[in-house]
Amino acid sequence: MQSWPIATPVTRKSFLQSAAAAVVAAPLAGSLLSGCGRAARSNHLVVAAATTPPSLDWELVFGREVYDHVFNLNDRLTRWQQIPAPDEDGGFDLAWQASNFAEITEPRMAEGWEVTNGGKTYTFSLRKGWPSHAGNEFTAADVKWTFERSFALDGITSFYNSISRIERPEDVKALDQHTVRIELAEPGPDLLLTLSTFWRAIVDSELAKSHATSADPWAKRWLKRHEAGFGPFKLEELSPGSQVVWLAHKEHPFPPALDQITFKEVPASSDRLAALTSGEAHAAQFLSPTDMQRVQNGDGVRLWNFQGYVIAQCPMNPSYPPLDDVRVRQALSYATPYRQILDQVFRGFAGPAAGPLSDHAAGFDPSLHPYTYDPVRARGLLREAGHAKGFTTTLAYNTADPLGAPVSAQLRSAFEDVGVALEVEPLPPSTYPQALFTGQRPMFFYEGGSDSPDPAYALGLFYQSKSSNNWVGYASAKVDACLADAGRAQLAWDQRVEQHKRCAELIANDAPWLWIAQPGFQVSTRSDVTGINWYAGEGVDWSRVSFTS
């Protein structure tokens, strides 16, 4: 078996800088959350959430408003190993900085696996007696049906099939009730790495098939509002625009500490903060930097901060001229006021971005990112591209993201200085994902990234021309060739990482996206909540969370 040692990624110093003292928001005069008053101190945790998820079907939806639900209502064959967070007492981080990729992957629904045939055959032994939320035992048939669904829908996980070298649904075989074999076209590290991501959840095939129809053989319509999972929590209620309720899956092999979690929709960040500080909620998601400063300096509340992998960025759609001209995209990259956005919008809760790789990825090299704020150079590139008088374009953002409006305002003002009129379009979370995934606007503000430390995954996810996650249709024959060459099975891990640096440089010079900042991952809670953690996909493994004594 070939080993794939993982290079230790470069990490920035903690970007949670000391912020100016701020007064914590006063408790609400009235109750934001139904049920009124202070959240009961039982084994029931209340989260003030920005929105409810537009869908629970991970093949067809993407975004941080769905991550917690996709992760915790489902389970996977393998998991990233979690370790005590070095700077967050009581918290957990990912072991992404291990010296070998195998050390960061641990068994979950598979109790073990054997690698044979020169690294091309993986045989998984499945855990026995693992019930779904419907009471159906987990078997190899569930794994096979999940992969068949992935190929049939050609959705988000189709990229994982491709990068793992799984070419056909027939390459996933149920050998018996508790043994699965996966045949790869070529050996490589990506099968285990991708199996640990959010999106490789296993479906209770018996339940899902009972809701399939001839017109909908993969139960897309039913799985949009329901779940067929094996995760530590099960769905009790999904009321769009109101709340989501989870109950503990007590029969889970690794049962959660909490009995119930309720996510209450509270659209405004300031209102989520008020719910937290008044005690109406035990946790608040996706607060604005200003509100996180108040938590940081408040009594009875705590700000948890993790490095994460997110990049605040803007895909630019070449289907909307003149964004098909690399000189125009480069001009907008030079017109972006990076430091001003860090200071005035993120307020110390982000570090600078440096191209298509986050600093949590192997191969991160900030020297490969050529762009700084240079409006003179931006105007010159626009003149060279035939747009001396500028042009008009549109940027859309998700209203559930408190950073969408202020970042868009900064870009609009800076672009105006170089002659570009930026029209800003706020989209509600019910329509933003579909607009993003189908490239229906020239530009988007998007906070996300690659939920794997492998640079082949991180770069291929958004920039390989045939990737299912290349939403705006960026295509470069040079980049595709570079990614294919750098991902060759014959390369040892350190060679793989070095080769992908060439690809990252090509992508950066092509400027298909604006890479603005790296915000990290923060969660705000009451001070009696412990076990908060970061799992790649920008979510929390809520099964590890509990109240202190």
Side-chain angles (χ1 to χ4, degrees):
M1 175 182 175
Q2 186 172 9
S3 64
W4 297 80
I6 190 166
T8 302
V10 179
T11 58
R12 64 189 180 278
K13 294 181 180 178
S14 172
F15 48 74
L16 184 55
Q17 304 164 355
S18 56
V23 178
V24 177
L28 296 179
S31 176
L32 273 174
L33 308 182
S34 61
C36 74
R38 195 175 184 88
R41 180 60 160 78
S42 62
N43 216 24
H44 173 196
L45 185 134
V46 177
V47 180
T51 185
T52 52
S55 172
L56 296 176
D57 189 345
W58 61 87
E59 286 289 356
L60 305 171
V61 70
F62 201 101
R64 61 184 188 173
E65 61 266 27
V66 305
Y67 292 153
D68 277 339
H69 305 283
V70 168
F71 184 76
N72 288 273
L73 297 175
N74 299 285
D75 236 307
R76 294 137 198 88
L77 293 179
T78 66
R79 284 274 298 264
W80 302 120
Q81 181 186 351
Q82 286 187 310
I83 57 175
D87 300 316
E88 288 293 349
D89 184 39
F92 298 91
D93 207 339
L94 291 183
W96 268 10
Q97 296 170 5
S99 60
N100 188 299
F101 89 95
E103 297 174 11
I104 67 176
T105 305
E106 62 184 12
R108 185 69 169 182
M109 298 182 82
E111 60 185 7
W113 53 87
E114 181 183 13
V115 185
T116 56
N117 190 24
K120 294 198 296 184
T121 300
Y122 283 72
T123 304
F124 294 89
S125 299
L126 307 183
R127 291 185 189 271
K128 299 176 181 178
W130 187 315
S132 74
H133 302 156
N136 300 318
E137 183 183 359
F138 167 55
T139 69
D142 298 313
V143 179
K144 181 166 178 56
W145 193 83
T146 299
F147 275 88
E148 290 173 343
R149 186 174 192 266
S150 171
F151 276 93
L153 296 186
D154 196 24
I156 289 172
T157 63
S158 63
F159 168 74
Y160 304 139
N161 299 332
S162 174
I163 197 171
S164 300
R165 308 298 199 272
I166 307 172
E167 295 187 337
R168 308 168 304 158
E170 293 80 15
D171 293 331
V172 180
K173 301 178 176 66
L175 301 186
D176 59 39
Q177 192 173 18
H178 295 102
T179 309
V180 170
R181 176 169 294 164
I182 299 178
E183 301 283 357
L184 308 181
E186 293 181 307
D190 289 293
L191 177 62
L192 289 181
L193 291 171
T194 58
L195 287 179
S196 298
T197 65
F198 269 42
W199 314 107
R200 279 305 197 191
I202 303 299
V203 182
D204 174 357
S205 59
E206 185 175 343
L207 177 61
K209 286 191 288 187
S210 72
H211 293 280
T213 65
S214 58
D216 183 17
W218 301 104
K220 290 191 298 182
R221 183 172 300 172
W222 187 80
L223 285 170
K224 182 176 182 178
R225 291 284 181 261
H226 303 83
E227 51 91 6
F230 292 89
F233 290 95
K234 54 188 176 182
L235 184 67
E236 174 69 9
E237 176 188 345
L238 171 55
S239 298
S242 178
Q243 67 178 14
V244 182
V245 179
W246 301 346
L247 298 181
H249 181 30
K250 296 293 189 180
E251 296 75 32
H252 193 274
F254 310 99
L258 296 167
D259 293 330
Q260 179 176 328
I261 301 180
T262 299
F263 293 81
K264 294 278 190 176
E265 180 170 311
V266 184
S269 173
S270 58
D271 289 342
R272 294 195 295 278
L273 173 67
L276 178 69
T277 57
S278 69
E280 292 180 82
H282 303 105
Q285 294 181 313
F286 314 136
L287 296 182
S288 70
T290 299
D291 289 336
M292 286 193 292
Q293 286 179 325
R294 296 189 172 104
V295 174
Q296 193 177 25
N297 294 281
D299 295 326
V301 289
R302 176 177 177 179
L303 182 70
W304 301 74
N305 183 65
F306 302 90
Q307 181 180 353
Y309 70 82
V310 154
I311 300 175
Q313 50 201 332
C314 294
M316 294 183 277
N317 192 333
S319 298
Y320 292 84
L323 297 179
D324 56 337
D325 190 324
V326 64
R327 295 167 297 183
V328 171
R329 300 194 302 269
Q330 290 172 339
L332 296 185
S333 299
Y334 283 115
T336 299
Y338 301 99
R339 174 50 58 184
Q340 183 171 302
I341 292 174
L342 287 174
D343 293 342
Q344 296 185 14
V345 177
F346 288 95
R347 298 178 177 271
F349 290 101
L357 290 176
S358 79
D359 60 6
H360 225 150
F364 171 75
D365 185 347
S367 70
L368 302 180
H369 184 250
Y371 307 108
T372 58
Y373 178 53
D374 189 342
V376 173
R377 192 164 183 180
R379 293 188 196 100
L381 283 164
L382 289 173
R383 283 195 300 272
E384 184 182 326
H387 297 282
K389 295 183 179 180
F391 62 93
T392 299
T393 192
T394 299
L395 182 146
Y397 71 86
N398 189 339
T399 57
D401 185 346
L403 294 170
V407 170
S408 299
Q410 290 278 345
L411 293 176
R412 180 171 54 195
S413 176
F415 288 3
E416 185 178 5
D417 287 344
V418 299
V420 175
L422 184 66
E423 298 176 348
V424 175
E425 182 181 3
L427 294 177
S430 58
T431 62
Y432 174 87
Q434 181 67 15
L436 173 63
F437 301 158
T438 55
Q440 293 178 9
R441 301 294 187 281
M443 296 178 66
F444 295 88
F445 177 69
Y446 167 71
E447 290 193 89
S450 162
D451 48 348
S452 169
D454 176 18
Y457 179 105
L459 297 177
L461 184 67
F462 296 126
Y463 307 108
Q464 203 274 342
S465 63
K466 294 183 179 179
S467 170
S468 57
N469 298 290
N470 183 356
W471 305 311
V472 295
Y474 167 70
S476 165
K478 287 184 178 180
V479 169
D480 284 350
C482 184
L483 291 173
D485 183 59
R488 284 176 294 138
Q490 295 86 351
L491 297 179
W493 183 270
D494 58 347
Q495 294 174 309
R496 180 185 180 93
V497 170
E498 284 301 315
Q499 292 279 26
H500 277 93
K501 286 185 180 181
R502 295 190 301 108
C503 307
E505 186 173 19
L506 285 173
I507 294 168
N509 289 333
D510 234 5
W513 296 33
L514 301 178
W515 303 289
I516 300 170
Q518 293 188 74
F521 179 68
Q522 296 88 24
V523 181
S524 300
T525 70
R526 300 292 302 178
S527 56
D528 62 349
V529 174
T530 191
I532 294 294
N533 56 86
W534 170 68
Y535 197 93
E538 297 308 285
V540 174
D541 177 356
W542 287 97
S543 71
R544 303 196 75 145
V545 176
S546 63
F547 292 106
T548 58
S549 57

